Amino acid sequence: MLHFRTEGFNGCGVKYSPFFDNRLAVAASANFGLVGNGRLYILELTPDGIVPLKWYTTQDSLYDLAWSEIHENQVLTASGDGSIKLFDSTLDDFPIQNWKEHNREVFSVNWNLVSKDRFSSSSWDGTVRIWSPHRPHSLLTLPTHSCTYSAAFSPHSPDIISCVTSDSQVRVFDLRTPASASNHLILQIPIHATPASTLTSGPVPVPSTPPSEALTHDWNKYRPSILATAGVDRTIRTFDIRAPQQGPVATMLGHNYAIRKVVWSPHLSNMLLSASYDMTCRVWSDGSDASAIGDNDTMRAGPVGPVMGMELGRMSQHTEFVMGVDWCLFGSEGWCASAGWDESLYVWDVRAVVR
């Protein structure tokens, strides 16, 4: 396990480079993101440990980041002042691009993995915006009418984008559809609703769970219709957007406090990582068979509810809230990084904690 201290700044997000197996970036904020500066770290893994290649200090907190998919040295940041900045690690001091259309904190940025000339942002102002790095203004605004913590393009389609919000909803947009009154919205899944399949499954209906804020979600890299959500209620749920009425396909329980980040493995279709305010990162299986699942095949929830996923192991090195976690795209399927409010970045191997 490798360690790097983001001294004076509390980690809010971490991402591995899609171009270099030894490079990652951390978005951090002074004073736990409540007030003060932010800092973007560009770090390299070397035989001597984790070494800072460069860092940039910003006027406001940084909450998230995303590597460019078209330029190996560029990183996007999401800022508390409503701005999005693009930094180039070969240049000093200032961002090469700055966009500011959101009216409140930008809480997530995500680069399109298919159509690589686009990225998205989501904000507490109740909107998701689509951008091009070559344009000074956003290309499109998608209203959610609720504080939007996470937005992400599907890794399988350039025009499908989803988000999760404080009103406990998953929204899916298809940018190919006419805008009309729906603003490209094609699907809205209430995360805590009672699944239709359980309403008539027995003499006593299964009650719904009280809604709570959804803080994070991610698309499965191998199953195009599956995404995972998590948030304040400490529960990870997976949904199949082809059958939203069935409710969660799988549920994973175990965290003691809110889940801040969930990320599917880039190597295995049934494995997830989560980061939580309970100061742990946990490794999960969603209960499916990774070797048996293809692009058009997935498990289904049972007649009385979702499949129960299983915790495979946990990392408890952090001493404060864990805010970000990410998988390494390169090498064997286990390396990851986590960042937290304890001013610590850890690079570690999932296989060392799996029971």
Side-chain angles (χ1 to χ4, degrees), residues 122-133:
S122 70
S123 170
W124 291 2
D125 67 6
T127 65
V128 174
R129 293 179 187 261
I130 312 299
W131 310 80
S132 165

Side-chain angles (χ1 to χ4, degrees), residues 26 130 158 237:
V26 175
I130 312 299
R237 295 176 178 86

Side-chain angles (χ1 to χ4, degrees), residues 10-30:
N10 312 105
C12 294
V14 59
K15 293 287 175 62
Y16 272 96
S17 167
F19 294 97
F20 302 105
D21 62 357
N22 67 333
R23 188 172 297 180
L24 44 80
V26 175
S29 301

Side-chain angles (χ1 to χ4, degrees), residues 45-101:
L45 307 178
T46 74
D48 298 320
I50 303 175
V51 175
L53 179 67
K54 189 157 291 188
W55 64 77
Y56 302 91
T57 302
T58 58
Q59 290 187 340
D60 212 311
S61 303
L62 298 183
Y63 294 131
D64 195 24
L65 73 166
W67 284 92
S68 167
E69 290 290 327
I70 55 178
H71 196 298
E72 67 271 18
N73 295 313
Q74 295 180 358
V75 184
L76 278 173
T77 59
S79 181
D81 64 2
S83 70
I84 303 161
K85 295 176 171 60
L86 182 66
F87 291 90
D88 190 313
S89 63
T90 63
L91 303 174
D92 293 328
D93 298 332
F94 298 106
I96 60 172
Q97 286 270 38
N98 186 71
W99 300 272
K100 193 176 189 303
E101 294 184 18

Side-chain angles (χ1 to χ4, degrees), residues 43 61 65 72 79 110 206 226-227 258 270 284 287 301 303 309 326 348:
L43 306 174
S61 303
L65 73 166
E72 67 271 18
S79 181
N110 177 260
V206 178
I226 299 294
L227 51 78
N270 65 337
W284 306 86
D326 194 35
W348 47 286

Side-chain angles (χ1 to χ4, degrees), residues 204-246:
V204 180
V206 178
S208 60
T209 308
S212 61
E213 293 188 311
L215 303 178
T216 178
H217 81 302
D218 192 33
W219 289 90
N220 190 285
K221 310 305 187 290
Y222 295 92
R223 290 176 279 168
S225 63
I226 299 294
L227 51 78
T229 70
V232 171
D233 70 351
R234 314 184 304 277
T235 304
I236 302 171
R237 295 176 178 86
T238 68
F239 292 89
D240 188 334
I241 64 172
R242 297 174 302 180
Q245 73 285 348
Q246 78 175 13

